[in-house]
Amino acid sequence: MKKVTIIIPNYNGITYLPVCLDALRRQDCQEFETIVVDNASADGSQALLARDYPEVRVIPLSENQGFCGAVNAGIAASGTPFVILLNNDTEAAPGFVQGLLSCIQKDKKRFSCSAKMIQFYHREQIDDAGNYYNALGWAYARGKGRFQEDYSREKEIFASCAGAAIYRKDVMAKIGYFDETHFAYLEDLDLGYRARIHGYVNVFAPKAVVYHVGSGTTGSRYNPFKVSYSARNNIYLIYKNMPLGQLLLNLPFLTAGFLIKFLFFVKKGFGKEYAAGIRQGFEICQKDKKVKFYFRNFWNYFRIQMELWINIVRCLKK
């Protein structure tokens, strides 16, 4: 029986798929199956997969359901205790799968483990070594742009980057899959946040190395869609995961953080998109999606809050 299923969401990624899938054929550990969930691509991706990668199971979607809809379809179709989510614009080093499996199996409290993502075209630099979040409402990639040799130890992180990470499927069954309200952006932070509320941890796995092009689907670091959806989803994430008392405690920090971000995007030429995203974020907040507060999780909320404050300092130092 296979131990893990690798799920690759794809939308018009025919340029990237051969590099991604050929790297999986070179893995030291072959105890996995691969599922590509295709978001109604129109570039011949499905024909390429059928012709050149018969070992890959393809789940074709009739319309683009975004990252969340695609990976949820793959997770639901998987039959293994662990799932690895992998972006299509990646090239996994031979020890990638084994590195993730070894890391998550060390402790049952480990919900997810995030791979060591290195920039594809600048292989001396980190792309992502785990995701952090702070009380200003800022999400950021640990180590981005720094020398990858400096990130060689396992470390607890706030959440795993779903571009290359492993998850326990039984915990997902308990806390929920990726929230499709997000569509794309911050969905991995939301999932990791929910796991933290329930007492699980997320860990950086340095032995699982993957090279990442970045923005392989959206095409750039900043664009109207990404700026708007990131702002929208950030409001939703805060509303959903913070109890009222914690929201009030963080309100001064969040107000300052969103104002600074707004001014930043005004300078970048995306001020209107950012403001529209914030407005849409309030519009999508729903009571039935809010994580219920249980007193038994109080100390988990306390630890999260301490980290939200500490991560302000970490962010300013990076």
Side-chain angles (χ1 to χ4, degrees):
M1 180 180 176
K2 303 291 186 182
K3 289 184 177 180
V4 63
T5 301
I6 299 178
I7 299 165
I8 303 170
N10 179 66
Y11 176 65
N12 291 335
I14 193 170
T15 302
Y16 302 106
L17 283 172
V19 173
C20 180
L21 295 173
D22 287 347
L24 295 183
R25 285 176 170 173
R26 297 191 295 268
Q27 289 299 298
D28 298 334
C29 170
Q30 287 292 323
E31 295 183 44
F32 64 88
E33 60 177 341
T34 304
I35 296 176
V36 172
V37 185
D38 189 74
N39 261 324
S41 295
D43 65 347
S45 288
Q46 292 185 38
L48 169 77
L49 292 166
R51 184 184 70 243
D52 297 340
Y53 300 95
E55 75 275 20
V56 173
R57 180 180 173 189
V58 180
I59 299 178
L61 302 181
S62 59
E63 61 181 5
N64 185 358
Q65 297 183 20
F67 179 87
C68 297
V71 297
N72 280 349
I75 294 167
S78 67
T80 54
F82 303 103
V83 292
I84 291 175
L85 304 188
L86 185 64
N87 280 3
N88 60 3
D89 60 340
T90 58
E91 180 184 2
F96 169 74
V97 172
Q98 186 58 58
L100 287 177
L101 275 170
S102 297
C103 185
I104 201 166
Q105 290 179 309
K106 287 182 180 179
D107 191 336
K108 289 185 178 180
K109 279 295 183 182
R110 294 187 175 187
F111 166 61
S112 73
C113 295
S114 191
K116 182 177 183 178
M117 300 182 76
I118 297 172
Q119 295 182 26
F120 192 92
Y121 296 112
H122 302 280
R123 299 200 171 191
E124 74 284 357
Q125 295 181 12
I126 285 287
D127 184 59
D128 191 300
N131 288 346
Y132 280 153
Y133 193 65
N134 66 32
L136 295 170
W138 296 354
Y140 59 97
R142 173 174 173 257
K144 192 172 185 69
R146 294 191 173 183
F147 289 112
Q148 60 97 352
E149 290 89 351
D150 296 335
Y151 295 81
S152 58
R153 295 182 180 180
E154 287 186 8
K155 183 178 177 63
E156 285 193 19
I157 52 179
F158 195 90
S160 294
C161 173
I166 190 169
Y167 298 86
R168 289 185 182 274
K169 193 176 176 183
D170 61 341
V171 177
M172 282 186 170
K174 175 183 177 181
I175 68 172
Y177 286 10
F178 287 90
D179 187 342
E180 296 184 23
T181 302
H182 283 275
F183 188 78
Y185 303 122
L186 300 184
E187 69 291 319
D188 47 7
L189 195 67
D190 169 65
L191 184 62
Y193 202 141
R194 277 184 274 141
R196 296 284 303 276
I197 290 172
H198 285 82
Y200 294 95
V201 297
N202 306 297
V203 178
F204 168 62
K207 293 183 179 179
V209 174
V210 63
Y211 303 99
H212 183 219
V213 174
S215 302
T217 295
T218 59
S220 62
R221 184 175 181 183
Y222 299 122
N223 58 67
F225 176 82
K226 185 172 184 179
V227 169
S228 177
Y229 261 77
S230 295
R232 165 192 183 271
N233 292 345
N234 201 7
I235 293 291
Y236 178 55
L237 177 144
I238 293 165
Y239 163 81
K240 180 180 174 182
N241 291 289
M242 287 189 186
L244 180 60
Q246 192 177 23
L247 273 169
L248 295 174
L249 179 65
N250 287 305
L251 187 59
F253 297 96
L254 294 170
T255 301
F258 276 93
L259 178 59
I260 292 168
K261 281 282 190 178
F262 172 68
L263 295 175
F264 171 82
F265 283 115
V266 166
K267 187 176 180 180
K268 291 285 186 180
F270 297 113
K272 290 182 179 179
E273 289 81 3
Y274 186 76
I278 291 175
R279 184 183 66 254
Q280 292 164 12
F282 284 106
E283 292 173 353
I284 64 172
C285 290
Q286 305 168 43
K287 287 185 178 180
D288 63 330
K289 288 294 187 75
K290 191 169 178 65
V291 176
K292 291 183 179 179
F293 175 81
Y294 295 103
F295 190 77
R296 65 175 179 266
N297 292 329
F298 175 82
W299 288 110
N300 298 332
Y301 282 106
F302 178 80
R303 284 189 287 268
I304 290 169
Q305 184 58 48
M306 292 300 102
E307 189 171 344
L308 291 175
W309 282 332
I310 291 170
N311 286 346
I312 294 177
V313 178
R314 284 176 172 159
C315 180
L316 295 176
K317 284 184 176 180
K318 78 181 183 72

